[in-house]
Amino acid sequence: MTSRSSKLNKFSLKYVFYTVLIGLWGLSRNYPTLTERLYSKGIYPNIAKVEHFLLGWISFSMGDVFYTLFFAYIIYLFVKNIKYLWQKPLLWLDKTLLLLMSTACAFFFLWGFNYFRVPLATTLGVKTTYTEEELYSATEHCLQRAIALHQQLAPNDSVKVDFNLSNKEIYALAHKAYPLGITGISDFSSCKSVKSSLYSTLLTYMGYSGYLNPFTNESQINGKMVGYSKPVTACHEIAHQMGYAAEEEANYLGYLAAEKADSPYFKYSAELFALRHFLNEIAVVNPEKYKEIGIKIPQGILENYREVRRFWQQYENKAEPVFKASYDAFLKANKQQQGIDSYDLVVGLLIHHYTAP
């Protein structure tokens, strides 16, 4: 009788756990002001500081090591218990559900609730809508800044800027670019742990330039990347570490950090990043204007774009769209309605940066 009572208690507690998790998820999702105050600016900074204290000093990615051990353990358990799959299917289902719910609980508690915080544009009081004229004006302004930096870093207009900074130098400069010193932005500067992923080759085939490990709070960068995109990517992933989960917000803060960094290469990276997003938007709304502005871009800047494009093209494969579709679904499930296209929403934030008086 005692054994049966114990099993019932475990069963009850488990489903209480599920119910509480779902309740917290719904509460956080529907009350962003509460999430901002209690989690993003309350609980989360302390979690990040503890994780950074424990793991930030380690030179390699502990998150990737944990992932390896975790999936190896899952495979081990599957092989060991596969004979029970048909004998006790409900037990398998129960254990699988418990594993998934436990992982989800860890994900949201350690970082994921940041998806539901108050939008950065609201916090900063920035208007993200814009006219076509404002888009064109910001693009011209950005192009002139990119040209000036290109002239500073390249021998002539036809030659691309070579990014000879090592990964270690890039990560250190990205770290020093924070805090941004902007009122309203969460910025606990001790928690910046930027590392090359142990799975950089796999990330390349998946089409990813980096990611934040939500369980260890390490910013993982694709160490194989080349060219202008690596500095701004490092700054982007640190923005995720600061608790900004939305991709357009991490893009914007990554841009601001790269622009602020004590390196003309980072500033050039920031301008090329912004210019690419502006040009992509213009190509959609006014193809003729896109051609008109495109003529003004020096060959050296275009070569920097081509260098990065060629790098990714050599790793294109049939599995990449599957990974992108999975991430798109994940983002939409976490209140980013545009999915993977959320990255491009940074244009609304960037235009304010270029057109504000």
Side-chain angles (χ1 to χ4, degrees):
M1 192 73 179
T2 304
S3 175
R4 184 175 181 182
S5 176
S6 176
K7 288 181 179 179
L8 284 173
N9 286 336
K10 287 181 180 179
F11 179 87
S12 299
L13 286 173
K14 183 166 56 180
Y15 283 94
V16 166
F17 165 73
Y18 294 164
T19 303
V20 169
L21 175 60
I22 294 170
L24 286 174
W25 182 82
L27 187 68
S28 178
R29 186 182 182 91
N30 292 294
Y31 295 93
T33 303
L34 186 65
T35 303
E36 180 83 12
R37 184 170 67 250
L38 295 184
Y39 181 79
S40 297
K41 292 188 175 180
I43 297 171
Y44 174 69
N46 294 302
I47 292 173
K49 287 173 185 176
V50 170
E51 289 188 307
H52 180 77
F53 175 77
L54 294 174
L55 304 173
W57 58 274
I58 301 174
S59 60
F60 59 90
S61 169
M62 284 303 300
D64 285 349
V65 173
F66 291 156
Y67 278 154
T68 302
L69 295 175
F70 175 76
F71 286 112
Y73 181 65
I74 294 298
I75 293 170
Y76 165 75
L77 287 180
F78 180 80
V79 173
K80 181 181 178 181
N81 297 290
I82 193 169
K83 61 183 178 180
Y84 300 115
L85 180 59
W86 308 115
Q87 297 174 6
K88 300 178 180 179
L90 292 179
L91 180 62
W92 265 81
L93 179 63
D94 184 65
K95 290 185 178 297
T96 301
L97 183 60
L98 179 61
L99 177 63
L100 291 174
M101 293 297 285
S102 298
T103 303
C105 181
F107 169 76
F108 282 109
F109 177 72
L110 294 173
W111 184 77
F113 281 127
N114 285 310
Y115 275 115
F116 311 133
R117 67 187 302 178
V118 175
L120 180 61
T122 302
T123 300
L124 299 180
V126 174
K127 183 187 73 166
T128 57
T129 56
Y130 52 88
T131 65
E132 283 191 32
E133 289 306 316
E134 287 175 324
L135 173 61
Y136 304 149
S137 175
T139 305
E140 293 284 358
H141 188 189
C142 180
L143 176 58
Q144 293 309 309
R145 286 164 59 164
I147 291 173
L149 285 163
H150 182 271
Q151 291 173 342
Q152 178 184 344
L153 297 171
N156 59 66
D157 289 350
S158 300
V159 178
K160 69 180 176 66
V161 172
D162 287 321
F163 284 76
N164 295 320
L165 297 170
S166 67
N167 287 341
K168 186 176 181 180
E169 289 173 314
I170 289 173
Y171 303 159
L173 284 165
H175 183 284
K176 291 178 182 177
Y178 290 88
L180 296 174
I182 299 175
T183 302
I185 291 181
S186 303
D187 203 339
F188 25 102
S189 57
S190 63
C191 301
K192 300 186 183 72
S193 177
V194 191
K195 305 174 184 180
S196 291
S197 172
L198 299 178
Y199 293 112
S200 290
T201 299
L202 177 61
L203 286 179
T204 307
Y205 280 106
M206 293 170 69
Y208 295 143
S209 56
Y211 72 97
L212 175 80
N213 188 309
F215 303 104
T216 62
N217 208 251
E218 296 168 295
S219 291
Q220 313 282 231
I221 309 301
N222 182 337
K224 292 182 69 68
M225 280 194 305
V226 299
Y228 81 89
S229 59
K230 190 177 287 186
V232 76
T233 295
C235 294
H236 169 104
E237 297 304 335
I238 290 176
H240 280 321
Q241 263 184 322
M242 296 294 97
Y244 290 94
E247 296 299 347
E248 71 273 18
E249 295 177 3
N251 267 351
Y252 179 58
L253 297 179
Y255 163 83
L256 292 179
E259 185 193 45
K260 175 179 175 287
D262 187 22
S263 166
Y265 291 97
F266 268 64
K267 298 180 190 300
Y268 184 64
S269 174
E271 297 304 334
L272 261 61
F273 167 82
L275 182 61
R276 176 172 62 84
H277 280 283
F278 288 150
L279 290 172
N280 287 344
E281 188 71 8
I282 292 174
V284 173
V285 301
N286 191 336
E288 290 303 316
K289 187 68 175 181
Y290 173 79
K291 293 177 183 178
E292 178 186 323
I293 296 176
I295 295 172
K296 303 177 185 178
I297 303 175
Q299 280 300 311
I301 291 178
L302 294 176
E303 279 302 314
N304 277 117
Y305 284 133
R306 293 181 188 121
E307 176 187 32
V308 172
R309 187 165 62 250
R310 285 193 296 265
F311 168 78
W312 290 108
Q313 284 175 341
Q314 66 182 319
Y315 291 98
E316 287 180 352
N317 61 90
K318 293 182 179 179
E320 183 181 333
V322 177
F323 292 120
K324 292 292 180 66
S326 299
Y327 189 52
D328 180 74
F330 169 81
L331 290 175
K332 287 177 179 176
N334 284 290
K335 216 174 178 181
Q336 292 200 255
Q337 296 177 352
Q338 300 297 321
I340 206 164
D341 292 333
S342 298
Y343 288 87
D344 297 328
L345 298 178
V346 70
V347 170
L349 291 164
L350 286 173
I351 283 184
H352 165 80
H353 181 74
Y354 282 95
T355 58

